[in-house]
Amino acid sequence: LLHSSHYCTLSPLYTYHCCRIKWIVMMMLLLVVALFAVGLASASPSCVLQPSKKHHLRVDLNKLTKPDDYSVPSTLAEAFQFVFNVCKEISFVDSKCPAGTMVCEQYNNKGSQVFGDANSFSIAHDESDPSYTAVLTTTGPSCQGAGGGVFTTRLHFKCVNTGFIPNPSVLSEDVQGCSVDILIPSADACGVAAKPSGGTDGGSILVIIFFTLLIVYLAVGIFIGHRKGNRGVEMVPNLTFWASIPGLVKDGFKFISSKITGNNQTYGSYSKL
């Protein structure tokens, strides 16, 4: 049995010490997981260009993603070409252009240099030409050229009439700057008129609420603690609880591990009946 009269039933064979602490810890862990998941989702690059205050145009580039790869010859040497895709990694893979590559420079149909990774791209409204709607910029490894920096590819999307077959072409190549600009004309690049939402995304709202509640909780708790005559670290509300969290989390993981491995032992507040 538990060595305390205050307990909750965790399973038919086990009990858990302190109901209140258990549920608070569970809610905090769930909130941390939710924030982490939202952070991952927010960090993932999007293939949809949203409207802004200056540009009331929404462009979904997912329509231009191909099951195979685009290819366009270099303007500097016949034996070179660029193989790429839009918002995803290319199907071509070798030692020079490994999995996860979005733009690969090829020499005689073999990988030569990564010019952009699929996990490091951004999309913006293209202001370099009135007929261009969006520009996708992707970067690769460090460049040893005179310009330094990293290998960079800019995919410029041009709005054309429906029925026009996309035929990419190289706009410019900068050997010293290790960059290439490629034009992709397509009706799918025209986008649709839209107004910016002007709102805050769900992830930002969740983060704001979390930290606001945390600050209010600490401020009120410290104020009450000060009124009671506490000073220094003793003014922190529920100090004993916060100090016990690392141990409780550790015990929880050990308990779950023991259930999975079948090594049933007693951990902290968990005990076998």
Side-chain angles (χ1 to χ4, degrees), residues 192-213:
V192 294
K195 293 183 179 180
S197 60
T200 305
D201 60 84
S204 299
I205 293 176
L206 188 61
V207 172
I208 292 173
I209 292 176
F210 172 77
F211 284 104
T212 299
L213 292 177

Side-chain angles (χ1 to χ4, degrees), residues 50-52 55-58 192-196:
Q50 299 296 343
S52 65
H55 302 278
H56 294 180
L57 189 68
R58 182 181 184 275
V192 294
K195 293 183 179 180

Side-chain angles (χ1 to χ4, degrees), residues 104-119:
C104 172
E105 180 190 53
Q106 289 184 339
Y107 176 70
N108 287 333
N109 296 318
K110 294 182 179 180
S112 172
Q113 178 64 56
V114 174
F115 264 72
D117 295 324
N119 62 351

